[in-house]
Amino acid sequence: MFTSLEGKTVIVTGASKGIGRGIALRFGQAGLNVLVVSRRLEEAEKVAAEIGPRASAFAADVTKTADTLAMAQAALDRYGAIDVLCANAGIFPAAKLGDMTEDDFDLVMDTNLKGTFLSVSAVLPAMKAAKKGRIVITSSITGPITGFPGWTHYGASKAGQMGFMRTAAIELAPWNITVNAVMPGNILTEGMEGMGEAYIASTAACVPMKKLGSVFDIANTALFFASEEAGYITGQGMVIDGGQVLPESPMALDEMGAA
Ligand code: NAP
């Protein structure tokens, strides 16, 4: 149905586990060369091995300019092109206002928002030279649409990514580079499992589809944004949340049998 992406190259940041691993596996299945990026090389190598010979691992910290430049160069050296960037690396430590330190705030913004800027900046020379490219940012519902106690910094970083995306989409359109965002609801990842069973159960109860999402729900949307067929879509966010943001009142939750 869709034009094959076989032989194209994707860089996926934060791909050693969770949503990034799912994106890397899905793009690998679709026949792309995959540069699997995270700070821990051994973990990234495990995911590359799962994908097979068309994938390889690279250690980079997205908060560091030199690392993101080296990441882009590695993709060019190994595969000769950068067709797609999935800027997915992110962290979500919780701290409520009053307890949150400046360092807490800076680490989240540096990883989630500045890391997006640095990753995008690093791939731009290659994409501009090729006069084409696809950038898919992993944002969230938290920040752009919803809030959750403990995540003021996280929500600001995820809303910031959406603001970044809209202007980047305008700036990069002349080079045929699209910039879009996946906005996951609560997705069952290793990171999410760390939030505990009670959090997972209460979240699932508030989702009209009564379950958390899978990493492949997000990966499939990222793959769509990377497709030839999505070439006229730019500056857009796609919410993938099983309807989580939809109930407008406790009564709606009652109707769902969630209360
Ligand atoms: P996760 O399971 O904790 O995985 C995070 C990934 O990011 C890991 O591969 C980690 O690898 C990497 N990473 C963290 N800091 C990094 C850095 N400075 N440089 C490079 N890589 C870094 O998290 P996840 O749940 O999959 O979340 C992935 C993305 O989805 C994040 O942007 C998050 O905000 C977003 N999201 C998740 C959910 C959800 O329900 N899970 C919902 C909405 C949005 P290393 O530790 O090896 O570096």
Side-chain angles (χ1 to χ4, degrees):
M1 187 171 74
F2 286 96
T3 307
S4 171
L5 293 176
E6 195 158 354
K8 294 197 180 288
T9 297
V10 61
I11 297 175
V12 186
T13 70
S16 63
K17 59 182 180 145
I19 291 173
R21 173 176 166 273
I23 293 173
L25 293 175
R26 186 71 188 89
F27 275 67
Q29 269 175 6
L32 288 89
N33 306 313
V34 186
L35 192 70
V36 178
V37 178
S38 81
R39 290 167 300 183
R40 295 167 306 152
L41 185 60
E42 275 180 23
E43 297 306 308
E45 278 170 344
K46 285 183 201 159
V47 175
E50 277 186 87
I51 297 168
R54 70 172 69 92
S56 62
F58 191 79
D61 181 337
V62 297
T63 67
K64 299 193 165 109
T65 303
D67 282 23
T68 52
L69 291 175
M71 165 187 91
Q73 192 57 50
L76 292 172
D77 292 346
R78 295 177 194 180
Y79 304 117
I82 304 170
D83 299 291
V84 186
L85 166 71
C86 293
N88 167 82
I91 55 170
F92 35 92
K96 288 193 180 151
L97 292 175
D99 298 328
M100 186 185 294
T101 65
E102 187 177 346
D103 284 349
D104 292 336
F105 187 86
D106 285 345
L107 183 61
V108 169
M109 296 303 276
D110 280 358
T111 308
N112 298 359
L113 186 52
K114 187 172 130 185
T116 299
F117 158 65
L118 292 180
S119 301
V120 169
S121 300
V123 302
L124 279 189
M127 287 188 177
K128 282 184 170 177
K131 292 200 166 43
K132 64 184 162 79
R134 294 278 195 274
I135 295 169
V136 183
I137 295 169
T138 306
S139 176
S140 179
I141 58 169
T142 312
I145 300 176
T146 63
F148 196 87
W151 279 345
T152 50
H153 49 0
Y154 178 76
S157 73
K158 294 283 136 182
Q161 286 178 306
M162 299 302 288
F164 173 91
M165 172 194 75
R166 293 187 183 100
T167 292
I170 296 171
E171 288 187 14
L172 300 176
W175 285 275
N176 197 24
I177 299 168
T178 67
V179 192
N180 293 291
V182 288
M183 302 168 73
N186 283 256
I187 306 301
L188 207 45
T189 61
E190 297 89 328
M192 183 59 64
E193 276 159 15
M195 305 289 295
E197 277 178 30
Y199 178 87
I200 292 172
S202 80
T203 305
C206 295
V207 177
M209 289 187 175
K210 296 287 184 201
K211 60 178 183 183
L212 271 57
S214 97
V215 295
F216 298 109
D217 293 322
I218 309 307
N220 286 328
T221 307
L223 191 63
F224 169 67
F225 279 137
S227 70
E228 290 296 317
E229 285 71 12
Y232 199 53
I233 302 172
T234 195
Q236 301 303 310
M238 173 69 83
V239 173
I240 308 128
D241 72 343
Q244 185 174 344
V245 299
L246 299 177
E248 64 182 17
S249 72
M251 205 182 281
L253 290 174
D254 284 346
E255 291 284 331
M256 287 161 47

